[in-house]
Amino acid sequence: MPERRARSAVATRAAILDAARARFGTNGYERTTMRAVASDVGVDPALVVRYFTNKESLFAEAAEFELHLPDLRDVPVQGLATVLMPRFFAVWENDGAFLPLLRAAASSPRAAEAMLQVFARQVAPALAAVAADHADERAALVGSQVLGLAFSRYVLRVPPLADMTHEQLMQWVGPVLEYYLTTEPR
């Protein structure tokens, strides 16, 4: 008689989310199906429905991630990039939700909206604490810089960005982020 493997609802649910992130990142929202996600995990599609109800709920949960940005109020202007950039690198390189969401945002209005929500809930308030004025504009400029960098480095793999160390990127991009946050517009 074959040995039965113990089933873990937590592990199965996590595997479904991982597969969904990969599918949404590769195929976008519209072309991803719950059946395909179930197939990737080797489970019945009904199990995906049981855990997530529908594709929109699956996507919403797969797209969630936390930046865990620190309080920037006491950080000197010249130190903003050295505080922010390591946090961005950690999310870009270690969070399974970010890169698939970034890829999907290029072609999916739902993914783009999810990315905008992360920006509105997490990035803009953190940056508003250090913006001299025009907090929304400054946060949007920083967001465009870091999302463009992430897309170029991790999705398109543009040389030499893809080969630069974290320290090199901080030296190049850090002053730009600090400029966006602190310099008076002309």
Side-chain angles (χ1 to χ4, degrees), residues 45-60:
L47 192 57
V48 178
V49 172
R50 177 176 165 213
Y51 286 129
F52 299 98
T53 310
N54 56 40
K55 184 167 91 168
E56 192 162 304
S57 296
L58 175 63
F59 177 78

Side-chain angles (χ1 to χ4, degrees), residues 70-87 127 130 170 174-175 177-179 181-182:
D71 183 348
L72 300 172
R73 287 179 287 208
D74 295 326
V75 177
V77 171
Q78 297 78 16
L80 287 171
T82 58
V83 171
L84 287 171
M85 292 297 291
R87 195 60 234 133
L127 297 179
V130 296
M170 286 188 348
L177 299 183
E178 292 165 0
Y179 178 87
L181 287 170
T182 61

Side-chain angles (χ1 to χ4, degrees), residues 166-176:
H166 291 178
E167 291 74 26
Q168 290 171 317
L169 285 169
M170 286 188 348
Q171 289 172 351
W172 283 91
V173 176
V176 175

Side-chain angles (χ1 to χ4, degrees), residues 118-130:
V118 169
F119 180 81
R121 285 190 341 265
Q122 297 180 53
V123 178
L127 297 179
V130 296

Side-chain angles (χ1 to χ4, degrees), residues 5-164:
R5 283 189 359 207
R7 292 185 183 168
S8 166
V10 172
T12 300
R13 192 173 197 288
I16 292 169
L17 278 174
D18 288 344
R21 287 181 182 117
R23 280 276 175 178
F24 287 126
T26 302
N27 299 341
Y29 179 85
E30 288 77 17
R31 292 190 333 255
T32 296
T33 66
M34 292 179 76
R35 183 175 301 282
V37 170
S39 176
D40 291 346
V41 179
V43 298
D44 189 281
L47 192 57
V48 178
V49 172
R50 177 176 165 213
Y51 286 129
F52 299 98
T53 310
N54 56 40
K55 184 167 91 168
E56 192 162 304
S57 296
L58 175 63
F59 177 78
E61 199 161 332
E64 285 182 17
F65 64 92
E66 290 293 323
L67 291 169
H68 301 289
L69 293 176
D71 183 348
L72 300 172
R73 287 179 287 208
D74 295 326
V75 177
V77 171
Q78 297 78 16
L80 287 171
T82 58
V83 171
L84 287 171
M85 292 297 291
R87 195 60 234 133
F88 293 138
F89 289 131
V91 170
W92 297 340
E93 295 171 1
N94 303 321
D95 188 300
F98 178 77
L99 287 178
L101 179 59
L102 182 62
R103 285 185 193 100
S107 62
S108 167
R110 290 182 200 270
E113 180 58 32
M115 186 67 79
L116 286 171
Q117 287 304 312
V118 169
F119 180 81
R121 285 190 341 265
Q122 297 180 53
V123 178
L127 297 179
V130 296
D133 56 12
H134 306 287
D136 292 340
E137 291 85 350
R138 292 178 185 280
L141 288 166
V142 169
S144 72
Q145 183 71 42
V146 296
L147 289 176
L149 177 60
F151 192 80
S152 297
R153 179 176 168 92
Y154 298 100
V155 177
L156 298 177
R157 305 210 34 84
V158 174
L161 285 178
D163 300 323
M164 291 174 114

